[in-house]
Amino acid sequence: MTAPPLALVAGTGFSDLDALEDRREQTVETPFGPARVTHGTWHDLPVVFLARHGPGHSVPPHLVNYRANVRALADLGARDVVAVNVTGSVDPDLEPGDLLCLDDFVDFTKQRPLTFHDGSGPEGVVHTDVSTPYDPDLRREILDAAAAVGTPVRDGGVYAAFEGPRFETAAEIRLARLAGADVAGMTGVPEVVLAREAGLRYAALSLVVNPATGVGDASEPITMDEIEAALARSRTAVLAVLDELVHTRATFEGES
């Protein structure tokens, strides 16, 4: 019996996974539109990789078809989703290159389709429990993998989701901090909620690449050059954590 694929989802700075072997591209048709994925193996483990922003980072965060993406992963048989989010730090103690394994979120988005359930389906109106939005067991896999390769990862963190594609104002970041946020980004929601609705286990590794607006030296604007430089320094550490997680899974499944 073929094991279900592990789903990996990533955005800025992670548009490709060089470690994947036996690569095969597929466009998955869903009721919400098409989703482009890459099938492959990593340490002989079946993996399906989805780049949120599409080929060449061509789709801005507010236009990502999150429903199609998550539905495609579920339709392909994935049960577990490990996501990578690139973020700005709301917590002033966080610096570019720091990593967090998220455990909660606050949603400041305004116009995205947030659910698979619009009330018209046979299930009627659905209210999804998100008291534990990020799966504890999958989070533990990320933290254990990070410890095994010696990469520090904060255990827990609150993700503030903003609409984008503009960066947040200083006032918005102050509001997020009052709400308990540690990092701010543009892609983590509704992805985590949709995964929950689809019955998928979901966990996210957040990479800090810049101080959010008003955090630190407020006189310095956020630039893509700054973000890309932080990504260049930190991408290897993120990939090392993913590699160890996949290797551990492959070893376990090979023994079972």
Side-chain angles (χ1 to χ4, degrees):
M1 182 177 179
T2 303
L6 172 66
L8 300 176
V9 181
T12 303
F14 297 89
S15 59
D16 194 12
L17 282 181
D18 296 336
L20 284 186
E21 299 179 343
D22 305 318
R23 302 167 69 94
R24 176 173 60 87
E25 305 294 327
Q26 180 184 7
T27 298
V28 182
E29 299 295 337
T30 79
F32 307 99
R36 186 73 172 172
V37 302
T38 302
H39 296 270
T41 58
W42 194 348
H43 295 295
D44 295 324
L45 188 80
V47 168
V48 57
F49 172 67
L50 191 149
R52 289 188 194 93
H53 300 288
H57 198 91
S58 56
V59 183
H62 68 298
L63 295 180
V64 171
N65 193 336
Y66 297 96
R67 291 191 297 179
N69 288 350
V70 173
R71 175 50 56 198
L73 296 178
D75 289 349
L76 290 170
R79 298 175 185 170
D80 294 347
V81 180
V82 174
V84 177
N85 298 106
V86 171
T87 57
S89 60
V90 177
D91 180 349
D93 291 335
L94 292 170
E95 299 180 351
D98 285 349
L99 292 166
L100 304 84
C101 189
L102 301 174
D103 64 357
D104 210 343
F105 70 86
V106 289
D107 183 12
F108 296 109
T109 63
K110 303 178 180 68
Q111 59 183 10
R112 304 179 181 192
L114 296 174
T115 178
F116 290 121
H117 307 298
D118 62 3
S120 63
E123 70 279 357
V125 175
V126 175
H127 301 286
T128 301
D129 174 65
V130 287
S131 55
T132 310
Y134 301 93
D135 184 81
D137 292 334
L138 204 50
R139 290 186 67 252
R140 176 47 52 193
E141 285 192 56
I142 292 173
L143 293 167
D144 288 348
V149 297
T151 298
V153 174
R154 180 188 287 189
D155 182 359
V158 178
Y159 180 103
F162 287 92
E163 193 70 52
R166 66 169 175 84
F167 292 118
E168 303 77 31
T169 68
E172 287 170 332
I173 293 301
R174 289 196 298 271
L175 178 62
R177 191 173 181 187
L178 287 172
D182 297 290
V183 293
M186 304 174 190
T187 58
V189 181
E191 189 175 273
V192 58
V193 177
L194 294 167
R196 184 83 175 176
E197 288 185 351
L200 302 174
R201 301 198 313 169
Y202 182 98
L205 186 63
S206 171
L207 168 63
V208 174
V209 294
N210 62 278
T213 308
V215 177
D217 188 350
S219 65
E220 293 296 325
I222 299 171
T223 67
M224 286 307 300
D225 287 344
E226 171 189 14
I227 290 172
E228 289 169 2
L231 278 168
R233 294 192 301 268
S234 306
R235 188 174 187 271
T236 300
V238 174
L239 292 175
V241 173
L242 296 179
D243 183 78
E244 179 61 24
L245 185 151
V246 173
H247 179 261
T248 300
R249 279 200 163 209
T251 301
F252 176 79
E253 291 191 6
E255 294 174 350
S256 61

